[in-house]
Amino acid sequence: MKLEELKKLSANYRKEVGIGKPATNREGKVITEQSRSIWFDRHTIEKLLAQTDEKKGGLKIFFAEYGNDYLEESGHDYTGQLTVVLAASNDNEDPTKDEQIENGGQLCPPHCGGDI
């Protein structure tokens, strides 16, 4: 994921969800079934952690909301749904390079692995 895309998705979240405003789909209807979970595979997590310091490193998790502009590029129709974006981080620093950022975990719904 590109840093500029993270900035857009994060701004969407802060503008709506972060203040309690309900998210809407492409047609402007309120989303009644919001994201419940997002699954990332081990390879993705390890790839990010490998970019960090052994003692000061970790993952910074950004809350975000998909918008029309991002969805048209990705081919998925998750407009208004919440997501999280993972970033390699030392000492809670924000990412500065695209390679430090991963989005694309499996969003539930529609890709749910259980009922929790």
Side-chain angles (χ1 to χ4, degrees):
M1 169 176 257
K2 296 188 183 310
L3 184 58
E4 286 304 311
E5 291 172 337
L6 169 58
K7 289 178 181 179
K8 282 189 218 176
L9 296 182
S10 185
N12 288 343
Y13 177 86
R14 288 190 313 275
K15 183 175 71 178
E16 296 181 359
V17 180
I19 61 168
K21 181 180 173 185
T24 56
N25 64 18
R26 284 185 189 272
E27 291 80 37
K29 295 180 182 173
V30 172
I31 293 177
T32 58
E33 186 175 21
Q34 192 47 269
S35 306
R36 296 189 310 229
S37 66
I38 299 149
W39 181 84
F40 286 87
D41 62 61
R42 182 182 184 125
H43 172 76
T44 299
I45 294 168
E46 288 177 347
K47 181 178 89 172
L48 289 172
L49 287 174
Q51 298 177 56
T52 65
D53 181 82
E54 281 188 31
K55 298 204 186 290
K56 299 178 181 182
L59 295 177
K60 190 164 189 173
I61 301 171
F62 291 87
F63 301 105
E65 179 184 324
Y66 286 114
N68 288 331
D69 53 345
Y70 181 79
L71 299 173
E72 291 170 358
E73 296 169 14
S74 72
H76 298 289
D77 191 10
Y78 296 143
T79 303
Q81 285 200 247
L82 303 181
T83 190
V84 294
V85 178
L86 306 180
S89 175
N90 290 315
D91 286 334
N92 198 24
E93 293 175 352
D94 285 345
T96 57
K97 299 181 280 188
D98 295 345
E99 299 79 37
Q100 294 175 280
I101 305 166
E102 284 290 340
N103 186 27
Q106 289 185 9
L107 193 63
C108 167
H111 307 285
C112 298
D115 292 329
I116 295 177

